[in-house]
Amino acid sequence: MNGRYRLGIDIGGTFTDVTLLEQESGRLVSLKTPTVPSDPARGIVNALHRLKETGVTPEEIVYFVHGTTIGLNTLLQRKGARIALMVTEGFLDLLALQRLRLPVPYDFRSRLPEPLIPRQAVFPVRERLLHDGAEHWPVDTEMLDRTIGEIAEAGYEGVAVCLLHSYRNPVHERQVAERIRRLAPGMVVCLSSELWPQMREYERAVLAVVNLYIQPSARRYFRGLRERLAEEGLAVEPLITQSNGGVMDIGTAAEAPVRTLFSGPAAGVIGAVRLAEAAGIRNVITFDVGGTSADISVVTDGRPAFVETNQVAGFPILMPSISIQSVGAGGGSVVWLDSGGLLKVGPESAGSSPGPACYGNGGPAALTDAFLLCGWLNPGRFAAGSVALYPELSARALRPVAEALGLDLASAADRVIQVAVANMYAELNGVLEQQGIDPREYVVLAYGGAGPLLANFIAEEIRAGGVLVPPRPGTMCALGALNADFVHDAVRSGRMPLAEIKPAELKKRYEALAAEARGWLENQRFDGIEGHRFEYSMDARYVGQSFEIALPIDPAELEGEDCARIAGRFHEAHRLQYGHSDPGAPVEAVNLRVRAVGLTRKPPLERVPDAAGPARPAGEREIYLRGERRRVPVHVRAELAAGHEIEGPAVIEQDDTTVLILGGWRGRVDAFGNILLRRTGEVR
């Protein structure tokens, strides 16, 4: 690929992060610019203008990849399109009934989320397929034509179609789509059987509805982004990151924006995996703290944890994504007191506008204000000096909280930080317990603007094996986007008893899925894919169970006479996950999955020179830490070399974040510029 630069951008709730790679030298440039919530593309244009000031012209950029939260924000704010849903006759209450489970099982006042489509916008289709996909009743075309007329007359922007058992046989959904396009040209149609043909009707319907609901907003944004980039002179076709950690071309993203819902945090995990591997660390807990939230994920043996269903605003998103847990506690999280006078931090965020009080835009007291009042931040170096901070405004905003608590300002700020850490610990501890993980075998990998400030506290709380701070933690998600491959997941559902189905039949079905996934890769509008690979897996369960266990499948297992080896691995996986198994019980596969990975060129890892002597601080600063004032050394990250060691407590400053090392810990710089924190003895 000719050209000088590759550009990765991630739009967060507070900052738009940028990582630029100069292809010939391997040099990386990172910067942050405030996000413009009302016009996210404006933040990208502002970043391009800042790059121009350094001599980088848009015409020289030949690779552009971008993580977006447009779809997620549209769904959370419920500002999507006015759409209709067509379902099998007799199932009009599909969205209202949901799964008949309380969102919080022990709270009888908890309520299911209000459907995105009201009951009057759900229309019946007289047809019926059996569980094996065989046709029981054909589509009643006369009734269908009348229904299409009603939908068109009502002015709906699009129609989602989810018919019973269409995951086994899409013929009826395709017939419905054909007649809609014939009788209502211009009406947008989303078929559940094409978007994600997996068993479970309600979840499949929700996925189709969400995709169509957010699609107009996503398309408008992508169209506007293309126009703005062209105006700036950037001619390359943008790529968009996905929830599964991969990328896709912008045309594919416009058709299936539901695949982008968790794209930003997922890209950060991909970047974290690459950097941890270079540091020789296989087990990490990623800890991404930005301005709005803290995102946590677990990587075991170099592989991120995936989930097949995620939750957004109470809705199940039945599509593979990197497993990420979010806590509403970031640098912009608002500080407040509840009705009982209890100190709270988040989940509401001040964002980038107005931002925390210290931004000078009239914002409320937030976690960043507490960092500033405790002396952890350098007001003149925040976001490389692009955002001025005003400690006196932080003091003014936090003073009412301090007075209500009967504390001085520094003590109140310290208490705010303790509450934020407690919130993060509670969420992370639940994740570790649920997955049966011993944190002593894991290292906390800190990134995001505030992650390196808080990671040492979290590592102490969970007794993790250490903390790893990469060279550019503040722009990790943008760097991760540059490291991402093209990834496509394909699935087929059906009940397949392992005692009855032959490996040859499974192999045939996997090869059909692989061909579908290969076609997706070939249709991507990008000519830089450097090879590909396929990963097979299946969801299996004991006959009669309602939930499955994901099993990776070695293609060699599909060459035998029977599936006994696969069944044996399922029994062992069930024992490890639930503490028991039943080797005599029949096992069935319900979903076959193929992941196609189109390999892309990765940014080279920069090395730092070896240290010629001990690390020398640039100065000292008084900070307030754990109820005490103390003077600590302040180091400049750019001056650290491989082999340098720093004893805590200490502060390390850099353009995109600040690193805080606690007492009882020592940081050591490795050959790639990572700082690895380990305990030196009893933590003080």
Side-chain angles (χ1 to χ4, degrees):
M1 180 184 294
N2 296 322
R4 290 191 63 187
Y5 300 107
R6 295 161 67 90
L7 181 64
I9 291 184
D10 177 70
I11 298 180
T14 305
F15 286 100
T16 295
D17 300 333
V18 177
T19 296
L20 182 80
L21 168 67
E22 186 177 36
Q23 296 197 111
E24 184 175 342
S25 66
R27 181 175 65 95
L28 289 172
V29 175
S30 299
L31 60 88
K32 300 172 80 73
T33 184
T35 293
V36 183
S38 60
D39 184 10
R42 179 74 248 173
I44 295 178
V45 172
N46 291 341
L48 291 175
H49 289 172
R50 287 188 58 188
L51 289 173
K52 278 184 181 179
E53 295 171 1
T54 67
V56 177
T57 61
E59 292 82 2
E60 297 176 291
I61 297 172
V62 295
Y63 185 91
F64 178 96
V65 59
H66 164 35
T68 175
T69 58
I70 293 297
L72 180 61
N73 292 340
T74 300
L75 178 58
L76 293 176
Q77 297 167 10
R78 299 181 75 100
K79 294 182 178 179
R82 182 171 175 265
I83 59 175
L85 172 66
M86 300 180 78
V87 299
T88 300
E89 187 178 38
F91 292 81
L92 293 180
D93 293 306
L94 173 66
L95 295 183
L97 292 175
Q98 301 181 30
R99 281 296 175 186
L100 292 178
R101 301 189 189 108
L102 287 173
V104 182
Y106 46 82
D107 183 359
F108 291 114
R109 295 171 298 178
S110 63
R111 292 293 179 264
L112 297 169
E114 191 69 23
L116 296 174
I117 296 179
R119 175 65 163 71
Q120 62 267 26
V122 182
F123 296 87
V125 178
R126 186 169 296 157
E127 60 81 40
R128 193 61 178 266
L129 296 175
L130 300 180
H131 68 91
D132 59 358
E135 185 178 69
H136 185 57
W137 296 330
V139 175
D140 185 332
T141 54
E142 290 186 9
M143 176 183 175
L144 176 61
D145 291 350
R146 290 194 300 270
T147 300
I148 294 171
E150 292 177 27
I151 292 173
E153 186 176 349
Y156 290 104
E157 298 177 54
V159 184
V161 183
C162 181
L163 303 181
L164 201 62
H165 303 307
S166 61
Y167 66 89
R168 289 300 303 271
N169 184 354
V171 61
H172 282 185
E173 285 196 2
R174 290 175 180 173
Q175 289 177 19
V176 171
E178 181 182 352
R179 297 195 76 84
I180 292 174
R181 292 175 180 130
R182 182 187 305 170
L183 299 175
M187 180 77 70
V188 181
V189 182
C190 180
L191 303 184
S192 71
S193 57
E194 291 184 356
L195 181 64
W196 194 248
Q198 184 172 332
M199 189 187 302
R200 292 197 170 97
E201 183 192 15
Y202 167 65
E203 288 80 1
R204 188 160 40 87
V206 166
L207 194 67
V209 166
V210 168
N211 189 69
L212 193 58
Y213 184 77
I214 66 177
Q215 194 175 64
S217 295
R219 284 180 168 175
R220 282 193 297 271
Y221 172 73
F222 292 146
R223 183 169 56 250
L225 177 63
R226 276 172 160 160
E227 293 171 355
R228 301 279 277 278
L229 294 179
E231 290 171 1
E232 295 298 321
L234 198 153
V236 66
E237 184 80 353
L239 302 176
I240 306 298
T241 56
Q242 301 185 65
S243 303
N244 62 9
V247 297
M248 56 185 166
D249 66 35
I250 196 169
T252 305
E255 290 301 315
V258 71
R259 296 180 183 271
T260 71
L261 289 178
F262 314 102
S263 62
V269 175
I270 295 301
V273 168
R274 177 103 192 280
L275 292 178
E277 184 178 14
I281 299 172
R282 303 284 291 172
N283 295 339
V284 298
I285 298 166
T286 67
F287 184 63
D288 174 12
V289 187
T292 305
S293 65
D295 297 321
I296 299 161
S297 188
V298 176
V299 177
T300 302
D301 196 25
R303 296 180 63 87
F306 282 83
V307 292
E308 306 307 333
T309 303
N310 231 319
Q311 292 280 331
V312 179
F315 298 113
I317 305 299
L318 188 70
M319 191 168 275
S321 63
I322 291 179
S323 178
I324 297 170
Q325 304 293 325
S326 294
V327 187
S333 294
V334 174
V335 178
W336 56 288
L337 298 173
D338 68 9
S339 57
L342 193 64
L343 179 63
K344 301 284 187 178
V345 181
E348 183 182 352
S349 173
S352 60
S353 180
C358 57
Y359 283 18
N361 297 322
L367 184 57
T368 297
D369 294 299
F371 294 152
L372 188 59
L373 291 175
C374 285
W376 298 5
L377 298 179
N378 181 346
R381 192 162 183 175
F382 189 73
S386 64
V387 178
L389 299 184
Y390 303 94
E392 65 276 11
L393 297 181
S394 295
R396 183 191 304 170
L398 195 61
R399 186 167 285 110
V401 174
E403 291 175 352
L405 296 174
L407 300 171
D408 59 60
L409 273 175
S411 298
D414 185 53
R415 194 72 57 85
V416 167
I417 295 169
Q418 291 179 38
V419 170
V421 170
N423 291 343
M424 297 173 187
Y425 166 74
E427 181 68 29
L428 176 56
N429 195 51
V431 171
L432 299 180
E433 288 183 355
Q434 186 179 26
Q435 298 186 23
I437 286 172
D438 183 351
R440 294 172 298 181
E441 299 175 358
Y442 286 73
V443 167
V444 176
L445 199 156
Y447 55 98
L453 276 171
L454 298 171
N456 210 165
F457 292 96
I458 292 295
E460 278 196 353
E461 292 288 345
I462 65 173
R463 299 186 180 276
V467 177
L468 185 69
V469 184
R472 294 178 175 82
T475 55
M476 174 66 80
C477 291
L479 177 62
L482 285 177
N483 278 279
D485 294 313
F486 282 80
V487 178
H488 180 69
D489 292 292
V491 66
R492 285 294 180 274
S493 289
R495 300 183 64 178
M496 296 160 276
L498 294 187
E500 300 175 14
I501 194 167
K502 295 298 183 183
E505 176 60 25
L506 284 179
K507 181 179 180 180
K508 180 179 177 181
R509 298 185 186 187
Y510 274 119
E511 288 176 344
L513 279 175
E516 174 189 319
R518 184 184 296 108
W520 183 91
L521 287 177
E522 293 171 350
N523 289 332
Q524 293 299 293
R525 298 180 62 183
F526 180 73
D527 60 3
I529 295 178
E530 302 176 348
H532 64 269
R533 69 173 186 269
F534 296 111
E535 299 171 0
Y536 292 0
S537 65
M538 72 165 53
D539 298 338
R541 66 188 184 189
Y542 288 121
V543 174
Q545 284 186 320
S546 299
F547 297 95
E548 301 83 36
I549 292 177
L551 285 180
I553 298 297
D554 185 339
E557 294 177 309
L558 306 177
E559 302 295 339
E561 294 296 322
D562 56 41
C563 296
R565 181 179 170 189
I566 297 175
R569 288 202 300 110
F570 169 81
H571 295 308
E572 178 61 15
H574 196 281
R575 185 188 66 80
L576 290 174
Q577 185 160 334
Y578 296 109
H580 66 91
S581 64
D582 186 358
V587 179
E588 63 180 0
V590 293
N591 297 311
L592 303 184
R593 302 179 185 274
V594 170
R595 170 166 293 162
V597 180
L599 305 175
T600 61
R601 184 188 308 174
K602 306 294 184 291
L605 294 172
E606 294 180 293
R607 289 180 174 270
V608 297
D610 291 334
R616 299 186 182 279
E620 289 187 342
R621 185 157 75 233
E622 184 179 271
I623 68 172
Y624 195 87
L625 179 64
R626 289 177 163 171
E628 296 181 13
R629 292 190 181 276
R630 58 180 72 188
R631 294 195 67 80
V632 300
V634 178
H635 294 262
V636 176
R637 183 76 181 263
E639 297 176 359
L640 297 180
H644 272 152
E645 293 188 350
I646 300 173
E647 297 283 344
V651 170
I652 303 173
E653 293 183 348
Q654 58 188 96
D655 287 344
D656 58 350
T657 191
T658 299
V659 183
L660 179 65
I661 305 177
L662 299 179
W665 291 72
R666 177 188 297 120
R668 181 178 176 84
V669 182
D670 71 9
F672 297 101
N674 300 300
I675 301 175
L676 180 61
L677 309 185
R678 299 283 193 186
R679 291 177 180 81
T680 59
E682 289 297 317
V683 178
R684 297 189 295 274

